[in-house]
Amino acid sequence: MSETRVPGADVKTAHQDLHSEQGALRGEHPGRSRNPLIKVADLAWLEFEKPDLDRAEVFARDFGFQTAARTERELWLRGTFAGSPCMVIRRGRTSRFIGPAFRAAERADLGRLARATGTAVGDADVPGGGRAVDLLDPSGFPVRVVHCGEELPALPEQRPLQLNFGTDHRRTNATQRPPREPSRIQRLGHVVLETRVFGRALDWYLDTLGMIVSDFLFLDGQRDRGPTMAFIRCDRGGTPADHHTLAMHLGPGTGYVHSAYQVTDLDSIAAGGEYLGERGYKRSWGIGRHIQGSQLFDYWRDPDHFMLEHFADGDLFSCDVEPGWAPMSTSGLAQWGPPATRDFLGAGPSPQRIRDVIEALRGDNEMDRARLLGLLKAANS
């Protein structure tokens, strides 16, 4: 196998069959910034508004969250891992996604970021206290970079099942009876966003937050115009990080697509899914295993129609793995599992979707007729 070498490091290329059949061509996007302002360590939490916090809390518990804090105006949700909460839901007039909060590696990063962007360091307003810098990305999403004070302690875990493989018998004189109960969320994994200004938004996250691309997707016959989706991870140097903490794709709208939450194993995903189904919640797509990131997945809709994912067994990459490149297609989303649904793809011709398409084609952005037709082709391929 061939290997690309740079001074001082051994760089693994996509051509080593590590995660993609293709690597970048000469002159294509490198997938990282040469001199980022800071390098965030992880996604901290996501911020939403909803009019009914009671209903939101019922779904949260059924999905597998635990309540970290609750007031008349705010609901903070957490997983079992120590650290920050996964999500904050604030009471609002409508249900909407506000934006993501990323965790700074060091508190000094907040000052550096504030000086470079002309902003200020303020209170994070999170259980346990902390400080934050508030920014706006090119898509218009509010983005917070936070450094938390006191961490939430770890909570009891769902134990992974002991599995027998061939002649490797780890379980004898015992049965497997996983209870049909909520999947116990461990942590927030990633968020996926749609944007009309994909290229500008991508460069902003790489230049401002120091994130790096794991995989690019491009439209059939349009690779020369650049990628239309990126799976982006945190750069922790030699310490492996999730294959993607943030994913973005070009589309006619601007908004939240889904967020993903790690659980213990496949049985936790399946038993938790049975529990959700029995309570009348709608599965969007699953169960299956992804290609980019390799996660086992199962997607659900909450009562406000937001999509959330249970996942387990995701890929971890260190900083020396270069971006892979692959064509964008629905069939390329999963190694196995049921076909992707129209609900998951957002392919329903809703009035809002039609308005998004008209506004995107008329506006000053990266959407045009060729891009739109390419996205429609990818959704049906």
Side-chain angles (χ1 to χ4, degrees), residues 21-45:
E21 293 181 0
Q22 303 179 45
L25 302 177
R26 183 180 296 275
E28 287 187 318
H29 200 296
R32 62 186 69 200
S33 173
R34 291 191 176 189
N35 189 28
L37 294 180
I38 65 168
K39 293 184 178 182
V40 294
D42 207 348
L43 192 59
W45 63 78

Side-chain angles (χ1 to χ4, degrees), residues 58-352:
V58 169
F59 171 80
R61 289 176 177 172
D62 288 342
F63 192 75
F65 293 106
Q66 299 191 48
T67 301
R70 172 74 192 268
T71 69
E72 184 181 348
R73 305 288 311 170
E74 291 184 345
L75 170 64
W76 288 88
L77 303 172
R78 63 161 299 174
T80 59
F81 284 3
S84 65
C86 299
M87 183 187 298
V88 56
I89 305 174
R90 296 187 173 91
R91 191 182 303 278
R93 297 180 62 183
T94 61
S95 294
R96 66 189 185 106
F97 174 68
I98 303 300
F102 291 88
R103 179 166 60 85
E106 300 177 357
R107 181 162 179 169
D109 287 341
L110 298 184
R112 186 178 304 112
L113 185 61
R115 288 190 296 273
T117 58
T119 55
V121 181
D123 291 332
D125 190 25
V126 59
R131 303 287 281 170
V133 172
D134 291 322
L135 306 170
L136 199 68
D137 80 1
S139 304
F141 289 114
V143 175
R144 307 195 85 189
V145 180
V146 303
H147 189 272
C148 295
E150 181 181 348
E151 287 194 341
L152 297 172
L155 298 176
E157 294 282 339
Q158 274 178 326
R159 292 184 177 274
L161 297 186
Q162 289 291 316
L163 304 179
N164 289 330
F165 300 98
T167 59
D168 182 10
H169 299 154
R170 304 182 183 186
R171 189 186 77 258
T172 59
N173 297 330
T175 59
Q176 296 281 43
R177 301 292 187 270
R180 192 169 293 187
E181 64 183 7
S183 305
R184 203 168 301 174
I185 300 299
Q186 295 174 326
R187 65 182 180 96
L188 168 63
H190 63 260
V191 64
V192 180
L193 305 175
E194 178 178 341
T195 176
R196 299 173 183 173
V197 290
F198 171 80
R200 281 194 284 146
L202 170 66
D203 288 343
W204 186 88
Y205 281 95
L206 306 191
D207 293 337
T208 307
L209 304 187
M211 305 182 81
I212 56 180
V213 175
S214 298
D215 279 287
F216 282 122
L217 301 184
F218 57 88
L219 294 176
D220 183 40
Q222 299 186 38
R223 181 167 180 172
D224 61 324
R225 296 189 63 185
T228 50
M229 185 166 188
F231 297 87
I232 310 165
R233 69 186 185 275
C234 295
D235 182 357
R236 299 181 189 163
T239 301
D242 287 337
H243 172 272
H244 56 284
T245 296
L246 169 68
M248 290 190 303
H249 68 80
L250 178 67
T254 298
Y256 169 96
V257 179
H258 76 259
S259 51
Y261 304 87
Q262 181 176 290
V263 299
T264 302
D265 57 15
L266 179 59
D267 279 274
S268 176
I269 292 175
E274 292 294 311
Y275 184 90
L276 287 168
E278 290 171 351
R279 278 147 186 81
Y281 298 110
K282 179 184 176 183
R283 174 180 271 124
S284 181
W285 181 35
I287 298 171
R289 186 182 282 277
H290 280 307
I291 293 179
Q292 277 80 24
S294 303
Q295 300 98 330
L296 295 162
F297 65 81
D298 196 20
Y299 294 89
W300 292 84
R301 293 283 185 182
D302 76 1
D304 298 289
H305 206 62
F306 289 107
M307 190 189 304
L308 292 87
E309 174 190 3
H310 285 143
F311 81 92
D313 190 34
D315 292 336
L316 299 170
F317 288 173
S318 58
C319 69
D320 57 356
V321 177
E322 294 182 341
W325 287 71
M328 196 174 191
S329 69
T330 296
S331 60
L333 293 174
Q335 301 177 43
W336 57 261
T341 64
R342 291 179 63 83
D343 178 76
F344 173 80
L345 295 171
S350 67
Q352 181 59 53

